[in-house]
Amino acid sequence: MRMTQSVWRALERELLVFVRTWRGSAFTAVVQPVLFLLAMGIGLGGLIDDGAGSASVRLDYLDFVAPGLLAASALLAVAGEALWGVMGGVKWMGQFKGMVATPMTPGDVYGGLVLSAGVRAGAAAIAFLVVAAVLGGVSSLWAPLAIVAAVLLAIVTMSALSAYAVRKEDDRTFPLIMRLGVIPMFLFSGTFFPVEQLPEVVQPIAVLSPLWHGVEVARDATTGTVDGWTLLHVGVLVAIAAAALPFGVRGFERRLTP
Amino acid sequence: MVDGPLHPDALVRARGLTKAFGDFVAVDGVDFEVRRGEVFGFLGPNGAGKTSTMRMISCVSPSTGGELSVLHLDPRTDGPAIRSRIGVVPQEDNLDTELSVWDNFIVYGRYFGLPRRVLRERAQELLEFARLTDRRDDRVDPLSGGMKRRLTIARALINDPDLVLLDEPTTGLDPQARHLLWDRLYGLKRRGVTLIITTHYMDEAEQLCDRLVVMDQGRIVDEGSPRELIHRHVTPEVIELRFAEPAEQEAALSSAGEAAERIEVLADRLLLYTRDAEATHRALAERSIEPLTELTRRASLEDVFLALTGRTLEE
Ligand SMILES: Nc1ncnc2c1ncn2[C@@H]1O[C@H](COP(=O)(O)OP(=O)(O)OP(=O)(O)O)[C@@H](O)[C@H]1O
Ligand SMILES: [Mg+2]
């Protein structure tokens, strides 16, 4: 019981920091994906839907790319926070060290981070969905389920990347994680085009990408094709987060209470 | 050092307390007791193990050997309960720099599960304590180092702790702020709060501490009140001699002989320990030792440390 309460207090802190500094994070979380949506969905989409591409992509491109962007922006918005934000908290500014000098535990700090990533991604997803719906990129009443996809992706990203970051002495490897991990994942997880377009040999790799599972859930939701597969993708995301959690708790314990 | 019957009022008790990081032993089997209502100090040079010891007491670093009890509880099993009753001022500030001064009090107080109504009241008092009332709504980031330090110290009192741990509290404060803080710490002591401080400032240890331990290389080398320690290890008076040339210092050292009870040789000066400064001055004159400057002062904890370890604290 105490555990739940103090995770909540850590969440409270994260959300307060968010409220006080929301302008910067709102840009990555909402404005940027909306810009992408305009450029890709309306601009590029106009080109594709008129051309031969429409044969392989059986949806309007806007309908196709909107859920992709919704899911992908959850990943992008959280990744930086999970890497540099955590390094700041355990080292540069050390607020997390201050937190564990109170009745809070390292697990509470970590739990608060993971939950707040989910809450913020959920809020950003709602804002994005509204814009996408206005632009006509949402065609099903299942669409709110896409919010779940964004929340789960944010939780997966935060729990896994912060578990990694908390084990590092400094941020030297972080740009590499972004360039070789996060950005390729962003581009090749069925966000902008179906993974079937990829060379056949690399297609199975997409299955390893949490983003692909998130994109599938979001797309099933906004296009109204929810079925057993959707549930399976949700299950995969939950499983990844569940696997990362103990690893993260241990990492935070070792770092904050050495 | 604290063998014999337990002091009934010991709030913190350590026996053979040890902290190893891998092969490196940072705290090497220390024994001490902190009694209710006293100001207890850890004095020692860089790397002595002061912070490592403080972190074990504040239950953010598990010991790797020996016994420790804090507020009659066991840090291994009662960490959160202990932490809820102590205040911690870490050596390095770890404020929420993106938040305002006010928010820092409230957020930190929430970690203790205190209701907002109580927190608002205490934060108002602590703002005054830290002399930051006019910076209430400013972000912490641009505050000066000294202001941040004062905020860190005030924030540590938000839970009205029974025991406050201050790791080098006045490092980075100007002399006026230091003296003000000492005043505030006396105030806490008068209210019955037990304080543990680490410092490498002699004057701070002498001014504040009822009892202290001198630490060096992970061990406690002696324990007592500042006065006891000085009495035990050095003479009441010290004469410091500085010379123009190292060669002159050499010469003076070889001829000074019986002029003082004990002579310590430092790189830039000689320290003559004596019970009778007048007599020592006469003896020096008789031997025609003529230093560049000659300073007579009371013996301090600095001298105790030198006598115990053969090194000065700044080294
Ligand atoms: N997390 C750690 N991992 C490895 N070694 C450590 C760790 N923390 C402290 N040490 C080592 O333990 C020794 C004692 O450090 P500690 O910080 O306790 O000293 P201190 O007395 O507080 O010194 P200072 O006056 O400089 O603050 C040092 O040699 C330090 O390098
Ligand atoms: Mg220290």
Side-chain angles (χ1 to χ4, degrees):
Chain A
M1 202 66 244
R2 194 202 67 80
M3 178 74 186
T4 2
Q5 270 184 12
S6 34
V7 172
W8 174 253
R9 284 171 202 144
L11 173 63
E12 227 178 282
R13 181 245 168 205
E14 294 302 323
L15 294 181
L16 182 70
V17 172
F18 172 68
V19 167
R20 297 290 190 252
T21 59
W22 67 273
R23 267 169 269 256
S25 21
F27 185 81
T28 4
V30 182
V31 179
Q32 191 168 291
V34 165
L35 289 179
F36 262 104
L37 187 67
L38 292 174
M40 318 281 309
I42 312 280
L44 192 61
L47 205 68
I48 295 171
D49 292 337
D50 291 345
S54 46
S56 57
V57 182
R58 279 182 304 277
L59 294 165
D60 264 1
Y61 190 64
L62 180 65
D63 290 342
F64 180 86
V65 82
L69 282 169
L70 178 135
S73 51
L75 167 77
L76 286 190
V78 173
E81 186 89 346
L83 294 171
W84 284 277
V86 164
M87 189 55 71
V90 298
K91 184 172 180 179
W92 297 326
M93 283 163 295
Q95 306 95 327
F96 300 164
K97 291 193 251 178
M99 293 171 80
V100 300
T102 72
M104 311 269 286
T105 64
D108 296 333
V109 175
Y110 176 62
L113 278 174
V114 171
L115 286 182
S116 91
V119 170
R120 289 187 294 170
I126 291 171
F128 181 88
L129 262 189
V130 169
V131 177
V134 168
L135 294 175
V138 174
S139 54
S140 164
L141 287 178
W142 279 101
L145 179 64
I147 298 163
V148 175
V151 170
L152 283 176
L153 266 172
I155 287 177
V156 164
T157 309
M158 182 55 91
S159 56
L161 280 187
S162 68
Y164 165 81
V166 80
R167 287 173 162 80
K168 293 287 149 193
E169 252 336 293
D170 53 50
D171 65 342
R172 253 178 309 170
T173 55
F174 295 178
L176 218 63
I177 297 286
M178 292 301 282
R179 279 183 219 132
L180 299 182
V182 175
I183 298 300
M185 197 187 281
F186 173 64
L187 293 174
F188 300 110
S189 296
T191 323
F192 300 108
F193 56 87
V195 288
E196 291 81 37
Q197 302 284 90
L198 291 168
E200 263 183 50
V201 279
V202 297
Q203 281 182 28
I205 298 178
V207 179
L208 298 177
S209 158
L211 179 55
W212 179 67
H213 296 283
V215 168
E216 289 297 300
V217 175
R219 191 163 289 141
D220 289 352
T222 58
T223 59
T225 52
V226 177
D227 56 16
W229 287 104
T230 319
L231 204 63
L232 185 67
H233 291 303
V234 168
V236 170
L237 290 173
V238 171
I240 300 175
L245 284 175
F247 194 59
V249 170
R250 216 170 323 123
F252 273 71
E253 278 170 358
R254 286 204 193 133
R255 184 61 176 261
L256 292 173
T257 54
Chain B
M1 237 142 262
V2 277
D3 281 342
L6 299 181
H7 199 281
D9 254 357
L11 282 195
V12 181
R13 225 164 58 74
R15 286 282 179 285
L17 184 63
T18 300
K19 180 75 195 183
F21 297 103
D23 289 338
F24 180 78
V25 182
V27 179
D28 195 359
V30 297
D31 297 343
F32 60 87
E33 257 179 32
V34 181
R35 295 165 201 161
R36 184 183 300 279
E38 77 178 342
V39 180
F40 186 86
F42 288 94
L43 180 66
N46 292 139
K50 303 182 296 294
T51 297
S52 303
T53 306
M54 291 290 257
R55 288 176 50 80
M56 286 191 279
I57 301 171
S58 52
C59 307
V60 293
S61 171
S63 63
T64 54
E67 288 168 41
L68 178 66
S69 86
V70 182
L71 304 170
H72 310 291
L73 298 168
D74 181 349
R76 279 170 304 190
T77 50
D78 309 315
I82 296 172
R83 293 196 299 270
S84 72
R85 290 172 54 199
I86 64 179
V88 176
V89 178
Q91 186 166 356
E92 282 167 41
D93 296 332
N94 52 32
L95 298 161
D96 251 312
T97 50
E98 291 164 316
L99 299 180
S100 68
V101 168
W102 181 259
D103 283 345
N104 264 273
F105 283 118
I106 305 297
V107 163
Y108 201 74
R110 291 292 297 151
Y111 299 153
F112 292 89
L114 296 166
R116 285 173 192 281
R117 180 181 42 78
V118 173
L119 289 175
R120 278 193 290 268
E121 238 168 68
R122 290 203 188 148
Q124 193 57 47
E125 285 168 27
L126 291 171
L127 266 180
E128 279 154 36
F129 177 95
R131 289 185 307 148
L132 288 171
T133 311
D134 55 334
R135 306 301 295 263
R136 181 186 189 276
D137 298 315
D138 291 354
R139 276 178 63 229
V140 165
D141 201 26
L143 296 186
S144 79
M147 289 175 180
K148 285 181 187 154
R149 198 68 189 144
R150 273 151 37 201
L151 177 57
T152 302
I153 294 165
R155 188 185 67 164
L157 304 175
I158 194 82
N159 59 329
D160 200 9
D162 299 327
L163 171 67
V164 181
L165 300 158
L166 303 112
D167 198 350
E168 305 201 2
T170 61
T171 303
L173 294 186
D174 62 37
Q176 194 205 348
R178 267 180 95 195
H179 284 277
L180 191 84
L181 179 68
W182 291 356
D183 264 3
R184 298 287 150 94
L185 295 181
Y186 283 131
L188 287 175
K189 182 181 150 73
R190 271 197 300 276
R191 278 167 40 196
V193 177
T194 307
L195 303 172
I196 305 181
I197 76 166
T198 78
T199 181
H200 42 219
Y201 294 123
M202 292 306 116
D203 51 344
E204 187 158 286
E206 274 184 67
Q207 284 278 331
L208 288 177
C209 297
D210 298 312
R211 286 189 316 126
L212 56 93
V213 293
V214 180
M215 271 190 101
D216 189 34
Q217 300 182 339
R219 295 169 186 275
I220 289 178
V221 288
D222 203 1
E223 185 237 330
S225 70
R227 197 200 282 241
E228 279 166 8
L229 286 168
I230 291 168
H231 185 75
R232 196 176 303 152
H233 296 283
V234 291
T235 58
E237 289 185 296
V238 191
I239 301 174
E240 294 197 11
L241 305 181
R242 282 174 200 270
F243 295 88
E245 299 289 333
E248 281 181 48
Q249 178 166 319
E250 285 286 320
L253 180 62
S254 54
S255 62
E258 306 290 289
E261 260 181 52
R262 197 165 60 82
I263 301 179
E264 286 281 355
V265 185
L266 302 183
D268 60 340
R269 67 207 141 132
L270 294 180
L271 302 182
L272 279 61
Y273 292 92
T274 175
R275 288 174 199 286
D276 185 349
E278 283 301 312
T280 305
H281 281 298
R282 279 197 303 276
L284 290 174
E286 279 164 19
R287 292 165 169 79
S288 41
I289 293 173
E290 284 172 4
L292 201 62
T293 64
E294 197 168 325
L295 167 78
T296 308
R297 59 169 175 81
R298 279 191 322 117
S300 72
L301 286 172
E302 177 82 53
D303 302 295
V304 172
F305 188 78
L306 187 62
L308 283 168
T309 68
R311 288 176 295 122
T312 60
L313 267 160
E314 282 86 40
E315 269 170 28

